[in-house]
Amino acid sequence: PMAETTFVQDAPAAEEASLGFCTFQIGGEFYGLDIVLVQEVIRSQKVFPVPTTPPYVLGVIILRGTIIPIVDIKRVLKQTPWREDPDTRLLILQQDQTVVGWAVDAVGDIAWLPVSRVEPFRTRRDEPGLKYVDRIGKVSEKAALALVDGPRLIGDLRIRG
């Protein structure tokens, strides 16, 4: 007679670790940035131009007595100048001792993605703007986020707040 076979079901896997990303939009495209870098999101406010700064620096704001440089992240990532509108927000970021603001078209929700849905993004690193997108986050079968390497971008711009 045939031996009786039993199938032992594996124990459910421990819940997979997730990564959190602040989502934002520029030029109709959706991006994500590690939430650890984001201090706060504020409405756009008066930006004071600073002479002799690179074209991607819009100027500075004064937030609760602190001077913060504001970067036109659209110009950095998409090579087109940013334009202010009612949905415009400033992402206030901190990387080590550097505090900087990124002007973005709009800010969305925090996206919590399981580690398995975040994959490396391989592209030619000489493509303008794409050199700062290092991963893709699969939000669903029909939606993905271009994940920005915030520390690298902040470091490359060499802006000190």
Side-chain angles (χ1 to χ4, degrees):
M2 199 177 230
E4 189 174 320
T5 307
T6 60
F7 295 94
V8 178
Q9 195 171 22
D10 291 332
E15 193 168 317
E16 186 178 358
S18 292
L19 301 171
F21 299 96
C22 176
T23 63
F24 62 95
Q25 188 175 3
I26 53 173
E29 295 179 359
F30 294 91
Y31 294 83
L33 179 68
D34 187 336
I35 60 170
V36 172
L37 297 172
V38 181
Q39 261 191 342
E40 62 185 302
V41 176
I42 62 172
R43 290 187 182 278
S44 186
Q45 54 182 271
K46 171 77 174 138
V47 177
F48 299 96
V50 178
T52 71
T53 56
Y56 56 78
V57 176
L58 296 170
V60 298
I61 63 168
I62 301 171
L63 183 64
R64 294 186 290 279
T66 302
I67 296 173
I68 300 173
I70 302 299
V71 171
D72 179 354
I73 202 66
K74 185 175 186 178
R75 186 179 292 253
V76 174
L77 294 176
K78 302 205 34 97
Q79 308 299 306
T80 57
W82 169 79
R83 296 196 196 298
E84 188 170 3
D85 71 32
D87 292 328
T88 296
R89 296 292 181 266
L90 301 176
L91 292 175
I92 306 301
L93 313 177
Q94 181 163 4
Q95 168 69 28
D96 299 323
Q97 299 305 311
T98 300
V99 177
V100 64
W102 287 3
V104 300
D105 294 342
V107 172
D109 296 327
I110 301 297
W112 290 97
L113 300 177
V115 173
S116 63
R117 294 176 78 172
V118 176
E119 297 179 0
F121 180 63
R122 295 176 190 12
T123 186
R124 292 181 28 208
R125 290 295 184 198
D126 60 346
E127 291 282 329
L130 284 183
K131 67 182 180 178
Y132 297 112
V133 174
D134 66 342
R135 296 172 292 168
I136 295 293
K138 294 187 286 185
V139 178
S140 69
E141 289 302 315
K142 296 179 180 178
L145 284 174
L147 302 176
V148 177
D149 184 346
R152 180 171 174 228
L153 198 156
I154 291 168
D156 282 1
L157 297 181
R158 294 180 192 86
I159 296 173
R160 298 287 172 254

